[in-house]
């Protein structure tokens, strides 16, 4: 009965959309049959474009035919809005076909026309879709730049719906990089706007994206709640493409709940709707989801069909993430079938695609960071220029007033002039202070950028270049397999160093860009110490160094656990770096009345007073080589100092050359009120 009910709802939805298209066609025929009909009538052209948009997810060939006719008629009639909308519809057609460059070309043409003729709403719509295409292309820097510009224009003209759509799209950028928490920030902004507007369909679209993001965060109850609200709206309004998307999300939720039969059921409902719509990009996620569901149900032959469909469709429209997932599934399927040749082929394809996407995502993250900084700097510069211009205008006004009052009454003018002069001086001092603060902020941003690029170029490019050189020698036959394997331990150390450096680099960059928020909570110090000792145990064993934990069990502090984890890891890593073979490192904690004093002691190389004085300087680039020539970025201790102070603590060091170093820092203990609150 439930299956029949869903099938009936699907049929009703299809029927409703067909009737809408038939209604538009009837309107078109009425216009054509009227006495004074002209194909250059703007009403006729708009009707053509409405039908084209209605066919977008149902018959793409009709879209291109109708758009072409509308464009030709618009040019003859000199109908600018018709031209812009025609190019925009062209762009949507090529986007759905996976031809991103052609889509970008048409959206750019639509935007340029809208900008030239001051069609602000069409400009916002075109720039948003242009940004979305750059996102599909993987050019996240340009995508974010266009989204930020679109938000600025939409805010200027108070296009609330456009603002919400852009927030949804920016959330999609962060979801592509698995940064679901940041994606949720933009989705919640979009939700607030829709609740203010009061349009249930727009709200349902955002809620479905929120549901998908909650599913990725494994907040499955919240995901189910939001997707059920969206489904109710789309079933009522008969919007097939979004309903298919919601059914696919519901299947994903049940898949994560390990309820595979229910997952298949909802995926099937989405599959039924995809028979009525043309949305290849959305269908790839559905096919990969069904593959996983059938694999878990031990129905490998059915899973193979869906995985192959997903693979072929991903290749057709150039979706690398779809190729990665489907090739991984096919590799597992053929391995089970003992067809090891095919399994190996798909596994190698998965590996290449995975590495390519990983490298691309790292570059995208840096490009997004640079774009946001550059955009904020440009915006700040415009604000400063506007403020200077306003200040000039105010001065001209004051001068004019003074001249008028000179002719009116000299005595009053002198008195008034003194008062105005004092007021002006005060304003100028205030403006000067504001400018100095803003200049200091811009200088700090520039120093942060320079240091980021310096570290990336100096400390990361070297090990990576060495790795590439070894691979090139091995590939060209100038190095034997045994010789290459001899370098594997060294390569592992280099890769571990790169990984550790990147973690410090991103954490430090986040604190410098004011993006790091300290979230205090009850933190078990002993567990953090144990995790980091386990993490660094391999390095310690390589140098035969003893790691001794003297932190009492259940030693609890009031701090941000993530930041304490970074502090402990950096201090232990530094101690390992500067402690010779067969050395000893001790980490412990002294619990005082209000604070906990944590220490990391080693019997390593030690430091001079000059080095100690430079250790915690914010802009220090001081780098020292370890006992085995280990190299760092000079960021670690600066990062530790910032995070200790954010957790209301202090950090210091005692050291002597040849005797070792002892690092100490304090963190507040849990007070009674915190315990009661917890």
């Amino acid at each position: 009965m439930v299956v029949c009910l869903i099938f009936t709802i699907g049929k009703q939805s299809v029927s409703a959309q067909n009737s809408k298209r038939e209604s538009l066609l009837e309107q078109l025929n009425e216009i054509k049959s009227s006495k004074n009909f002209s194909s250059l009538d703007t009403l006729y052209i708009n009707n053509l474009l409405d039908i084209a948009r209605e066919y977008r997810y149902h018959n793409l060939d009709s879209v291109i035919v109708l758009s072409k006719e509308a464009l030709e008629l618009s040019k003859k009639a000199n109908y600018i809005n018709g031209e812009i909308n025609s190019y925009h519809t062209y762009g949507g057609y090529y986007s759905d076909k996976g031809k991103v460059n052609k889509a970008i070309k048409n959206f750019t043409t639509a935007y340029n026309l809208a900008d030239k003729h001051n069609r602000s709403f069409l400009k916002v719509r075109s720039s948003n879709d242009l940004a979305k295409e750059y996102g599909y292309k993987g050019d996240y820097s340009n995508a974010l730049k266009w989204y930020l510009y679109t938000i600025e224009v939409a805010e200027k003209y108070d296009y609330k719906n456009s603002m919400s759509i852009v927030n949804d799209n920016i959330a999609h950028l962060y979801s592509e990089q698995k940064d679901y928490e940041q994606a949720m920030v933009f989705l919640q902004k979009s939700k607030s706007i829709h609740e203010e507007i009061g349009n249930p369909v727009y709200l349902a679209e955002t809620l479905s994206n929120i549901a998908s993001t909650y599913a990725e965060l494994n907040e499955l109850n919240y995901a189910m709640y939001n997707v059920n609200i969206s489904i109710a709206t789309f079933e009522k309004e008969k919007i097939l493409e979004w309903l298919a998307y919601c059914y696919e999300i519901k299947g994903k939720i049940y898949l994560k709940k390990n309820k595979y039969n229910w997952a298949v059921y909802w995926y099937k409902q989405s599959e039924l709707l995809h028979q009525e719509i043309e949305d290849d990009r959305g269908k790839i996620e559905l096919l990969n989801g069904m593959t996983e569901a059938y694999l878990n149900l031990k129905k490998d032959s059915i899973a193979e069909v869906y995985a192959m469909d997903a693979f072929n469709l991903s290749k057709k429209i150039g979706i690398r993430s779809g190729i990665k997932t489907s090739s991984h599934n096919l590799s597992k399927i053929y391995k089970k079938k003992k067809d090891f040749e095919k399994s190996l082929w798909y596994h190698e394809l998965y590996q290449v695609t995975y590495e390519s996407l990983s490298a691309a995502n790292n570059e995208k993250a840096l490009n997004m960071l640079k774009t946001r900084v550059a955009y904020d700097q440009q915006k700040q510069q415009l604000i400063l220029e506007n403020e200077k211009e306003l200040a000039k205008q105010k001065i001209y006004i004051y001068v004019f007033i003074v001249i008028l009052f000179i002719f009116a009454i000299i005595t009053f003018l002198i008195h008034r002039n003194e008062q105005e002069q004092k007021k002006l001086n005060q304003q100028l001092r205030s403006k000067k202070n504001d400018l100095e603060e803003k200049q200091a902020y811009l200088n700090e941003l520039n120093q942060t950028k320079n240091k980021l690029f310096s570290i990336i170029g100096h400390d990361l490019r070297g090990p990576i270049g060495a790795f590439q050189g070894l691979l090139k020698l091995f590939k060209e036959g100038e190095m034997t397999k045994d010789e290459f394997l001899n370098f594997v331990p060294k390569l592992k150390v280099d890769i571990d160093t790169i990984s550790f450096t990147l973690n410090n680099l991103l954490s430090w960059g986040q604190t410098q860009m004011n993006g790091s928020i300290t979230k205090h909570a009850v933190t078990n110090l002993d567990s953090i110490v144990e995790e980091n000792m386990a993490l660094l145990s391999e390095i310690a064993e390589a140098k035969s160094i003893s790691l001794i934990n003297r932190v009492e069990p259940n030693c609890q502090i009031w701090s941000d656990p993530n930041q304490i984890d970074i502090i402990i890891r950096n201090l232990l890593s530094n101690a390992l770096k500067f402690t010779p073979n067969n050395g000893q490192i001790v980490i412990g904690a002294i619990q005082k009345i209000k604070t906990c004093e944590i220490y990391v002691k080693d019997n390593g190389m030690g430091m001079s007073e000059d080095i100690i004085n430079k250790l915690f300087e914010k802009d220090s680039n001081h780098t020292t080589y370890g006992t085995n020539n280990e190299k760092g970025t000079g960021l670690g201790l600066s990062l530790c100092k910032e995070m200790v102070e954010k957790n209301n603590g202090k950090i210091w060091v005692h050291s002597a050359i040849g005797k070792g170093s002892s690092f100490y820092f304090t963190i507040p203990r849990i007070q009674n009120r915190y315990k009661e609150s917890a």
Side-chain angles (χ1 to χ4, degrees):
M1 288 177 66
V2 174
V3 173
C4 290
L5 177 62
I6 296 296
F7 184 77
T8 303
I9 291 170
K11 284 291 185 182
Q12 289 174 350
S13 300
V14 173
S15 174
Q17 294 211 334
N18 285 336
S19 65
K20 186 174 181 180
R21 288 195 293 275
E22 288 169 3
S23 174
L24 288 169
L25 288 169
E26 286 176 8
Q27 291 177 27
L28 191 69
N29 289 328
E30 286 177 10
I31 295 169
K32 291 173 71 174
S33 62
S34 64
K35 274 186 178 182
N36 300 320
F37 168 72
S38 169
S39 60
L40 303 182
D41 187 350
T42 58
L43 187 62
Y44 176 72
I45 295 171
N46 287 338
N47 205 274
L48 285 175
L49 291 166
D50 288 340
I51 296 171
R53 282 191 284 270
E54 192 61 28
Y55 271 114
R56 179 173 179 184
Y57 292 102
H58 305 280
N59 189 334
L60 283 174
D61 292 334
S62 297
V63 173
I64 198 69
V65 172
L66 292 165
S67 300
K68 184 177 180 182
E69 183 180 355
L71 180 60
E72 290 173 354
L73 294 174
S74 296
K75 287 182 176 179
K76 288 179 182 178
N78 196 26
Y79 180 36
I80 300 301
N81 283 13
E83 284 188 55
I84 296 168
N85 284 315
S86 298
Y87 281 119
H88 190 272
T89 311
Y90 263 118
Y93 166 82
Y94 285 118
S95 176
D96 292 341
K97 284 288 187 180
K99 298 178 180 179
V100 177
N101 289 330
K102 285 190 174 182
I104 288 174
K105 181 181 178 182
N106 282 280
F107 285 134
T108 301
T109 303
Y111 169 79
N112 289 335
L113 275 172
D115 185 48
K116 179 180 177 181
H117 295 280
N118 296 318
R119 303 300 200 271
S120 57
F121 178 78
L122 297 178
K123 183 165 69 171
V124 166
R125 190 179 67 173
S126 299
S127 63
N128 173 64
D129 284 323
L130 187 57
K132 189 161 57 175
E133 288 306 310
Y134 277 120
Y136 290 148
K137 188 178 181 180
D139 187 353
Y140 279 35
S141 178
N142 264 325
L144 186 60
K145 182 179 72 176
W146 278 102
Y147 279 137
L148 292 171
Y149 168 78
T150 304
I151 285 179
E152 185 174 320
V153 178
E155 286 177 346
K156 178 181 178 181
Y157 294 100
D158 200 29
Y159 295 147
K160 293 188 182 298
N161 188 51
S162 297
M163 285 189 280
S164 66
I165 291 171
V166 175
N167 279 309
D168 272 9
N169 291 337
I170 293 176
H172 178 73
L173 287 185
Y174 283 101
S175 295
E176 283 289 294
Q177 295 182 87
K178 312 299 181 187
D179 190 351
Y180 300 112
E181 291 182 357
Q182 189 63 29
M184 190 62 75
V185 171
F186 286 94
L187 288 171
Q188 292 296 344
K189 286 182 184 177
S190 180
K191 179 185 174 185
S192 298
I193 295 171
H194 285 317
E195 288 173 343
E196 181 182 345
I197 295 171
N199 187 309
V201 173
Y202 295 154
L203 178 60
E205 291 173 1
T206 295
L207 290 178
S208 62
N209 289 327
I210 288 174
S212 178
T213 306
Y214 271 132
E216 296 296 343
L217 289 167
N218 282 317
E219 297 283 351
L220 301 181
N221 290 332
Y222 288 121
M224 188 67 77
Y225 172 79
N226 283 280
V227 80
N228 284 336
I229 295 174
S230 300
I231 287 173
T233 301
F234 294 136
E235 285 179 347
K236 179 181 177 182
E237 300 295 333
K238 313 296 188 296
I239 303 174
L240 295 190
E241 55 273 16
W242 280 97
L243 194 55
Y245 174 57
C246 287
Y247 287 161
E248 184 260 324
I249 293 170
K250 200 159 184 177
K252 178 167 66 175
I253 295 168
Y254 278 114
L255 186 65
K256 286 179 172 288
K257 285 186 172 185
N258 299 327
K259 296 181 178 180
Y260 304 118
N261 285 317
W262 277 107
V264 168
Y265 171 78
W266 286 105
Y267 281 137
K268 280 288 185 183
Q269 308 319 311
S270 181
E271 188 180 33
L272 284 172
L273 293 181
H274 272 286
Q275 293 174 7
E276 303 295 332
I277 61 178
E278 290 185 48
D279 183 14
D280 289 343
R281 190 177 282 113
K283 194 174 181 181
I284 291 170
E285 290 289 325
L286 167 65
L287 294 171
N288 282 323
M290 295 191 78
T291 300
E292 289 189 39
Y294 278 118
L295 279 174
N296 283 291
L297 288 170
K298 311 300 182 186
K299 297 181 180 180
D300 293 357
S301 57
I302 302 176
E304 181 182 353
V305 173
Y306 283 106
M308 189 58 70
D309 286 346
F311 179 79
N312 291 331
L313 191 56
S314 299
K315 282 183 63 179
K316 176 185 172 184
I317 62 176
I319 304 297
R320 288 189 296 167
S321 59
I323 294 173
K324 182 196 75 171
T325 304
S326 56
S327 60
H328 186 55
N329 287 331
L330 285 167
S331 175
K332 290 192 291 186
I333 291 167
Y334 284 120
K335 186 177 181 181
K336 283 187 178 181
K337 293 174 70 174
K338 300 192 182 303
D339 189 345
F340 298 112
E341 184 176 349
K342 283 186 177 180
S343 175
L344 179 60
W345 190 87
Y346 282 108
H347 178 73
E348 289 176 346
L349 179 61
Y350 160 75
Q351 204 67 32
V352 169
T353 311
Y354 175 82
E355 290 172 1
S356 172
L357 284 171
S358 297
N361 281 339
N362 287 333
E363 185 178 351
K364 289 170 189 173
L366 284 173
N367 282 341
M368 287 180 73
L369 177 63
K370 289 190 289 185
T371 302
R372 291 198 70 170
V373 171
Y375 186 86
D376 288 339
Q377 287 177 336
Q378 290 173 5
K379 195 171 181 181
Q380 193 65 34
Q381 185 62 34
L382 287 173
I383 292 170
L384 287 172
E385 289 174 0
N386 287 334
E387 287 178 350
K388 289 178 181 178
E389 192 62 32
L390 286 171
K392 287 181 180 178
Q393 291 176 7
K394 285 182 180 180
I395 291 172
Y396 295 147
I397 291 170
Y398 290 147
V399 171
F400 181 69
I401 291 171
V402 169
I403 292 171
L404 288 177
F405 272 92
I406 287 173
F407 289 102
I409 180 166
I410 296 175
T411 307
F412 177 77
L413 179 60
I414 294 170
H415 177 73
R416 180 64 177 270
N417 188 49
E418 290 175 352
Q419 297 298 319
E420 291 294 335
Q421 192 63 42
K422 289 179 182 178
K423 184 179 178 182
L424 184 58
N425 288 338
Q426 187 177 0
Q427 288 179 344
L428 288 173
R429 282 195 296 271
S430 176
K431 294 290 182 185
K432 180 183 177 183
N433 292 336
D434 289 344
L435 287 171
E436 288 174 350
E437 289 176 4
K438 288 168 184 174
Q439 182 65 39
Y441 173 71
L442 291 174
N443 288 338
E444 187 174 347
L445 279 182
N446 199 42
Q447 289 173 5
T448 298
K449 179 199 72 176
N450 291 340
K451 188 157 186 177
L452 280 170
F453 291 154
S454 171
I455 292 166
I456 292 170
H458 185 261
D459 295 307
L460 297 182
R461 187 166 57 187
I464 293 172
F467 190 21
Q468 288 176 326
L470 281 173
L471 290 175
K472 183 178 179 182
L473 290 173
F474 181 68
K475 182 179 178 182
E476 294 176 354
E478 295 182 22
M479 177 185 288
T480 66
K481 181 178 180 181
D482 290 338
E483 287 174 333
F484 181 78
L485 289 175
N486 287 336
F487 281 97
V488 168
K490 174 65 169 61
L491 291 177
K492 183 180 182 306
V493 171
D494 285 348
I495 291 171
D496 287 344
T497 301
I498 292 169
S499 175
F500 186 75
T501 300
L502 277 175
N503 285 332
N504 269 354
L505 183 63
L506 293 175
S507 297
W508 178 80
Q510 190 180 36
T511 62
Q512 298 304 301
M513 298 300 174
N514 298 320
S516 176
I517 299 172
T518 301
K519 298 179 180 178
H520 291 90
V522 176
T523 305
N524 193 326
L525 180 62
D526 182 53
S527 62
I528 291 177
V529 170
E530 286 294 337
E531 287 172 6
N532 279 286
M533 287 176 66
L535 181 68
L536 299 170
S537 60
E538 188 174 339
I539 298 173
E541 289 172 6
K543 296 178 73 173
S544 300
I545 294 173
S546 300
L547 291 177
I548 301 171
N549 181 5
R550 290 183 179 168
V551 178
E552 296 177 2
N554 298 320
C555 178
Q556 294 183 326
I557 54 178
W558 183 252
S559 64
D560 185 318
N562 292 326
Q563 293 182 354
I564 296 300
D565 182 59
I566 291 171
I567 295 166
I568 296 294
R569 192 179 315 136
N570 269 285
L571 293 179
L572 281 176
S573 178
N574 271 356
L576 286 167
K577 176 179 168 184
F578 296 109
T579 301
N581 293 348
N582 301 309
Q584 177 179 284
I585 298 171
V586 179
I587 181 168
I590 302 169
Q591 299 191 52
K592 300 185 178 181
I593 296 175
K594 292 186 178 181
T595 61
C596 183
E597 185 176 291
I598 303 159
Y599 60 84
V600 177
K601 300 180 179 181
D602 64 65
N603 59 352
M605 297 162 55
M607 295 175 287
S608 66
E609 283 296 323
D610 289 340
I611 294 175
I612 291 173
N613 292 333
K614 296 177 182 178
L615 278 183
F616 298 111
E617 290 179 5
K618 184 176 182 180
D619 299 322
S620 173
N621 287 318
H622 181 75
T623 302
T624 307
Y625 288 86
T627 56
N628 286 355
N629 287 323
E630 304 98 320
K631 189 178 183 298
T633 65
L635 273 181
L637 292 176
S638 175
L639 183 62
C640 288
K641 183 176 185 293
E642 289 181 23
M643 290 188 171
V644 167
E645 290 175 352
K646 282 190 175 186
N647 284 276
N648 303 315
K650 296 180 180 178
I651 186 168
W652 67 95
V653 61
H654 296 313
S655 182
I657 294 177
K659 294 183 179 180
S661 301
S662 299
F663 284 84
Y664 300 84
F665 67 94
T666 60
I667 295 295
R669 290 185 62 190
I670 304 174
Q671 303 299 312
N672 289 333
R673 61 178 182 274
Y674 298 147
K675 292 182 178 179
E676 289 169 7
S677 175

